[in-house]
Amino acid sequence: MSYALNHTNRKLTLEPKITVNARIVVVGASSVGISFLETLVFCSHLKFNNLTLISTHGLPGKKLLDTEQRKFLASDHCFNDKDYALMSLCSWVNVVVGRMTGIDRAAKHVVLSTDEIVLYDHLILCTGQQYQVPCPTGADISQHLTNREVPNSSQRRYTGKVPCNHFTLNEEEDCFKALTWMRNNFITTEDGGRASVLFC
């Protein structure tokens, strides 16, 4: 595991910092959310005492992805595992593992899937782009319809049972599940080769 080496000098030690006690809650460990927290943590003249991150799987970079797994995950290459280790956000940020299900703006708190509440003074939503399970159009393929003739299903959401061999890769955890399934269910041909598996 990589380590973070934080260096400070006498000038920075003696320089006064303004303490900010406002409860700042960031929802989502996307690149934007992590970059926002990094900016606050490493601000030279301000000290934020109450930073909270709400994320489904906590801080990213905890499980180091190898080359095989990294090929699955679409990334904008803003941060890698070494960057997460060097930032060491867990030293300054309270991490709440969970999924946000509601916001009460009057009471200034968010509701988690476990029915817990997290109070905030400032709420930052950085959930990032999430891939969704595609919704079938219901078109009859025997009619040879063109794209213009197929009903628009961009606003529809698939609510049926998702097949066990369909994976939507949004996070590191999703990549681990997909790779585990492939290793357990990969088809081996008679000549010792492996058949290809298609992921949508």
Side-chain angles (χ1 to χ4, degrees):
M1 190 65 153
S2 300
Y3 62 91
L5 177 62
N6 298 308
H7 172 264
T8 187
N9 55 37
R10 183 177 179 183
K11 178 182 176 183
L12 291 177
T13 305
L14 299 176
E15 182 181 352
K17 284 191 173 187
I18 300 171
T19 301
V20 179
N21 292 319
R23 296 169 296 192
I24 300 174
V25 175
V26 177
V27 178
S30 64
S31 296
V32 175
I34 296 300
S35 179
F36 176 78
L37 289 171
E38 179 189 21
T39 303
L40 296 185
V41 165
F42 293 105
C43 187
S44 60
H45 61 285
L46 297 175
K47 180 182 178 183
F48 294 89
N49 285 334
N50 208 336
L51 298 175
T52 302
L53 171 69
I54 299 175
S55 175
T56 310
H57 300 292
L59 281 170
K62 292 293 185 184
K63 292 185 178 178
L64 301 180
L65 296 179
D66 57 27
T67 308
E68 233 177 359
Q69 295 159 338
R70 197 171 294 284
K71 290 178 182 177
F72 286 129
L73 192 60
S75 175
D76 54 7
H77 306 290
C78 287
F79 300 103
N80 56 33
D81 295 329
K82 185 177 180 181
D83 295 329
Y84 290 127
L86 292 176
M87 276 190 287
S88 186
L89 286 181
C90 57
S91 303
W92 294 284
V93 178
N94 301 315
V95 180
V96 177
V97 178
R99 187 180 298 274
M100 185 187 74
T101 57
I103 302 174
D104 189 333
R105 290 180 178 156
K108 283 201 165 185
H109 70 252
V110 297
V111 183
L112 303 182
S113 55
T114 56
D115 292 331
E116 297 177 38
I117 63 170
V118 178
L119 300 171
Y120 69 85
D121 293 316
H122 303 283
L123 179 64
I124 315 297
L125 300 177
C126 304
T127 54
Q129 182 178 4
Q130 299 290 313
Y131 297 106
Q132 303 292 329
V133 177
C135 186
T137 61
D140 186 2
I141 59 173
S142 64
Q143 299 295 321
H144 303 290
L145 300 175
T146 63
N147 287 342
R148 291 182 182 176
E149 297 168 332
V150 174
N152 184 7
S153 61
S154 60
Q155 301 301 321
R156 297 168 56 193
R157 292 289 178 261
Y158 182 71
T159 56
K161 184 178 179 182
V162 179
C164 65
N165 61 346
H166 178 90
F167 297 94
T168 307
L169 305 179
N170 286 312
E171 303 171 311
E172 297 175 3
E173 297 290 331
D174 300 331
C175 294
F176 279 107
K177 290 177 185 176
L179 189 60
T180 302
W181 185 91
M182 282 184 65
R183 287 178 174 161
N184 294 336
N185 299 283
F186 217 70
I187 302 170
T188 305
T189 60
E190 293 180 1
D191 59 352
R194 288 186 169 181
S196 60
V197 176
L198 178 63
F199 285 82
C200 299

